[in-house]
Amino acid sequence: MAAKTKEVALEPRIIELYKQLTVEGKIAKTTVYSFCKALDISEADFYKHFASLDAIGRKIWASYADEVIEALKGSETYASYSAREKILAYFFTFFENAVKDRSFISKTYRNFSLLRSYQRKFRAHMAEIIQEGVIADEIQSRHLENLYLDVLWGVHWGLIQFWL
């Protein structure tokens, strides 16, 4: 049981070091070997959690979407919002949560390979909202739902740039 606890506690340490090295501009020059050496862990322990250094960045970005969606769905009033209000609530909640990692976000938001998981989760959540909006007659179904998702992603990315 103690080994399991040790493994669980390792992941946050890996994530924090990754964020630190990214913010300091050192992650591009870092190897898994040197990363593990800095944490005083074996490469085998690292690979139990992540397949690569980039996988850490993808997990961090995916966790941003998870945090926002969990916060929104945990809200009592969110279910009563219109589609437009739900979209705005997502953006507001993202930026409210993102303040804690602003430096990390500013260093990584242009790296689309890191944002891929986040973008998938964002688009899936927006697709749910759009579908609810179409059903509630708040959004006209013009068979442009995928275009709406592209536009919303573009707006979100543009808002990140403006926020930074």
Side-chain angles (χ1 to χ4, degrees), residues 14 16 21 27 32 37 45 54 66 81 85 87 94 103 105-106 110-112 117 122 127 130 137-138 140 151 163:
I14 291 171
E16 282 310 308
L21 293 175
I27 198 68
V32 171
K37 192 173 177 182
D45 286 338
D54 278 354
D66 293 338
Y81 288 176
E85 290 168 326
I87 292 167
F94 172 83
S103 296
I105 290 170
S106 72
R110 292 178 191 232
N111 185 340
F112 287 107
S117 296
F122 172 84
I130 290 168
D137 251 357
E138 297 170 8
Q140 290 294 316
V151 169
W163 175 69

Side-chain angles (χ1 to χ4, degrees), residues 24-77:
E24 293 172 357
K26 298 177 183 175
I27 198 68
K29 300 174 190 141
T30 303
T31 63
V32 171
Y33 172 79
S34 61
F35 189 89
C36 292
K37 192 173 177 182
L39 279 174
D40 195 27
I41 63 171
S42 70
E43 287 183 73
D45 286 338
F46 174 86
Y47 287 118
K48 286 179 186 175
H49 296 276
F50 297 99
S52 67
L53 291 174
D54 278 354
I56 303 167
R58 286 192 294 274
K59 179 164 183 141
I60 293 166
W61 271 97
S63 74
Y64 295 152
D66 293 338
E67 289 171 11
V68 170
I69 293 166
E70 187 178 309
L72 292 173
K73 290 189 175 182
S75 166
E76 293 177 18
T77 57

Side-chain angles (χ1 to χ4, degrees), residues 77-135:
T77 57
Y78 181 74
S80 67
Y81 288 176
S82 68
R84 177 181 295 152
E85 290 168 326
K86 286 181 178 180
I87 292 167
L88 292 173
Y90 184 96
F91 292 146
F92 179 83
T93 305
F94 172 83
F95 291 110
E96 194 173 61
N97 290 351
V99 168
K100 70 184 183 321
D101 283 340
R102 188 181 184 286
S103 296
F104 176 79
I105 290 170
S106 72
K107 295 283 188 178
T108 58
Y109 80 100
R110 292 178 191 232
N111 185 340
F112 287 107
S113 69
L114 297 183
L115 270 66
R116 198 172 310 125
S117 296
Y118 175 80
Q119 184 181 25
R120 268 195 297 273
K121 289 180 181 219
F122 172 84
R123 290 173 66 94
H125 185 69
M126 290 300 140
E128 286 177 22
I129 293 171
I130 290 168
Q131 188 61 35
E132 289 173 15
V134 168
I135 290 169

